[in-house]
Amino acid sequence: MISVFVPSHITGFFSIHDNPDPLLKGSLGAGVLLDKGVITEIDFKENFDLGGVNDNDLNLDSLNSDELLIIINGKRDEYNEVIILKTIHLMKKALDKEDISLSGVVINQIIQVPIGCGFGTSAASALGVAISINELFDLGLSLEECGQFAHLAEVELGTGLGDVIAELSKGIVLRTTPGAPGYGEAKSIVPHEKTGFGVFESLNADFYIITKSLGEISTASIISDPKHKKLITQVGEKTAEEFNKKDDGIVIGSKFKNKFNVAVDSEFNEEETIKKFMKSSLFFARKTGLISDELLELVHNLHGKVIGSSMAMLGNTLFAIATEEQKLKLEAEYYGEFDFYKLETEGIRIIK
Ligand SMILES: Nc1ncnc2c1ncn2[C@@H]1O[C@H](COP(=O)(O)OP(=O)(O)O)[C@@H](O)[C@H]1O
Ligand SMILES: CC(C)(COP(=O)(O)O)[C@@H](O)C(=O)O
């Protein structure tokens, strides 16, 4: 069996960049990767242990039929399988070329975070499907090419713009050119890009993401609405400009060389960068009017207890980033009220 883990991605701020070519259409902005996301398992039915799947929809007929079987969180899920079917449809040419059919295949997805709440689960689902099919059938596609199918599925359904390219990265991700992987550009700003000499390898990446989801927001309804689109892009571009400014002494991913001729950022400070990212995210959430009063109250309550907090784009979800010490205190104070994740620093994992 092939198993693929794709981290979830919470966007803090973004701007929308249209293009007639869907591979170039996308968003700019910044977000954070979590150590929980979507696990996609794939194999042929005869090799698959469906013992743990206990659902009325999965009757003997569907188990005995030769059709592709998609299971999401232990059951059939016609709504959430749309992104999976879209990705497979887009891969049809690549599959037909090798004379490959998906009949008799099982795709089992475990979605570890809330769906539709701004965690980029649709992108993680699409990416997991493209990568796992590529692995199972040895299609020889690169991760970037798999990402292009996932990006196209997202853009066509209106479920996301920049999550796919971000989910191929690590830590806190800044998107600098819009588009699919291989067309757009994104860089990991925390933990800091490593130099060839591994200078930053030991930098502290013990940061935690704290969330509370109050409900879903339909991403498609916001990003296809002209009024929202205009405001999001105006505010998103202004936010990114401020975020990238260096006059506050906070270095975001730039480099200079030290006396040993090794590229380092002596001024670079992970916690300050996170603080700036969260401040920018809250500015964006407020100025676009996307954040509800309920979420603002939570932001207010967490003030001083975390590095910063804001709204997950696009879901009715609060997200905060905290140090280990802050996280331990919060766990004790708000027992059971929040979900806790670690900042994802490894990225996508494929287990064969
Ligand atoms: N217009 C739609 N039609 C069908 N399914 C949709 C549609 N929009 C979203 N979905 C499904 O809902 C899920 C969540 O999508 P999305 O709103 O992008 O959430 P998230 O914020 O978690 O990325 C996906 O699995 C996707 O397949
Ligand atoms: C914010 C969003 C447009 C949607 O994110 P989600 O609702 O999590 O699918 C994202 O894809 C981005 O471009 O930053």
Side-chain angles (χ1 to χ4, degrees):
M1 188 172 69
I2 312 273
S3 175
V4 179
F5 167 76
V6 180
S8 49
H9 174 254
I10 295 179
T11 293
F13 62 88
F14 70 108
S15 53
I16 300 170
H17 298 268
D18 271 328
N19 197 296
D21 181 348
L23 288 166
L24 296 173
K25 180 173 172 165
S27 63
L28 292 181
V32 59
L33 292 171
L34 278 54
D35 69 344
K36 293 276 183 303
V38 176
I39 298 170
T40 306
E41 296 177 341
I42 192 169
D43 209 338
F44 297 97
K45 235 172 253 182
E46 57 269 26
N47 304 331
F48 217 97
D49 178 13
L50 287 164
V53 179
N54 182 13
D55 187 73
N56 291 338
D57 299 344
L58 279 184
N59 52 32
L60 276 179
D61 284 352
S62 63
L63 293 180
N64 291 334
S65 95
D66 232 9
E67 275 171 33
L68 164 70
L69 178 60
I70 300 172
I71 304 163
I72 299 173
N73 286 347
K75 53 183 187 185
R76 300 294 311 269
D77 182 339
E78 280 182 11
Y79 183 70
N80 287 311
E81 74 179 24
V82 170
I83 188 84
I84 297 177
L85 293 173
K86 185 71 173 179
T87 311
I88 292 173
H89 179 74
L90 290 163
M91 293 178 84
K92 198 175 176 306
K93 248 195 194 154
L95 291 168
D96 285 351
K97 210 172 87 190
E98 304 290 328
D99 222 6
I100 291 165
S101 134
L102 293 185
S103 67
V105 167
V106 183
I107 294 177
N108 183 34
Q109 277 197 335
I110 301 135
I111 304 184
Q112 304 170 301
V113 292
I115 304 175
C117 298
F119 289 73
T121 61
S122 44
S125 289
L127 250 177
V129 165
I131 296 170
S132 61
I133 290 179
N134 179 50
E135 291 291 333
L136 185 69
F137 294 104
D138 274 329
L139 294 180
L141 302 172
S142 64
L143 266 186
E144 262 184 8
E145 285 168 318
C146 292
Q148 286 163 11
F149 287 118
H151 178 87
L152 289 175
E154 278 272 86
V155 168
E156 280 191 27
L157 284 179
T159 48
L161 292 165
D163 286 321
V164 171
I165 193 164
E167 285 170 2
L168 280 161
S169 187
K170 290 161 199 204
I172 293 183
V173 187
L174 180 65
R175 280 166 278 133
T176 51
T177 309
Y183 292 82
E185 274 170 337
K187 62 179 174 189
S188 167
I189 50 170
V190 173
H192 201 33
E193 293 163 343
K194 288 173 190 156
T195 69
F197 298 88
V199 165
F200 287 107
E201 233 136 348
S202 62
L203 271 190
N204 170 29
D206 282 339
F207 294 106
Y208 293 82
I209 293 94
I210 296 155
T211 68
K212 188 179 173 73
S213 290
L214 304 177
E216 296 176 23
I217 290 181
S218 156
T219 301
S221 73
I222 303 274
I223 63 177
S224 58
D225 171 63
K227 261 196 193 153
H228 271 120
K229 233 167 124 171
K230 195 171 165 211
L231 187 60
I232 284 173
T233 301
Q234 265 173 5
V235 180
E237 282 178 349
K238 188 169 176 337
T239 310
E241 199 183 305
E242 285 294 316
F243 182 69
N244 286 309
K245 260 191 196 163
K246 294 191 179 72
D247 55 5
D248 54 5
I250 300 168
V251 178
I252 308 283
S254 68
K255 285 184 189 162
F256 70 92
K257 292 194 172 167
N258 71 3
K259 62 180 177 179
F260 305 111
N261 209 27
V262 174
V264 289
D265 261 339
S266 63
E267 302 157 74
F268 182 79
N269 177 313
E270 295 197 314
E271 203 170 317
E272 285 301 321
T273 304
I274 293 175
K275 199 184 265 175
K276 196 170 173 184
F277 163 61
M278 291 311 303
K279 242 179 106 177
S280 301
S281 299
L282 187 56
F283 172 85
F284 176 82
R286 278 204 167 112
K287 283 276 175 212
T288 52
L290 287 165
I291 192 165
S292 66
D293 288 346
E294 220 176 346
L295 286 182
L296 269 177
E297 201 183 318
L298 285 172
V299 168
H300 184 75
N301 292 346
L302 287 179
H303 187 75
K305 299 178 179 173
V306 292
I307 300 175
S309 65
S310 185
M311 168 193 172
M313 302 292 157
L314 272 162
N316 195 5
T317 299
L318 170 107
F319 84 108
I321 307 188
T323 60
E324 184 155 28
E325 204 186 329
Q326 290 172 328
K327 174 233 172 199
L328 289 172
K329 277 191 190 155
L330 280 173
E331 267 179 325
E333 188 180 342
Y334 296 92
Y335 182 76
E337 203 183 316
F338 294 101
D339 293 319
F340 294 87
Y341 306 93
K342 205 166 177 213
L343 178 69
E344 174 59 42
T345 52
E346 278 182 59
I348 287 177
R349 288 186 282 292
I350 303 169
I351 303 157
K352 293 185 209 175

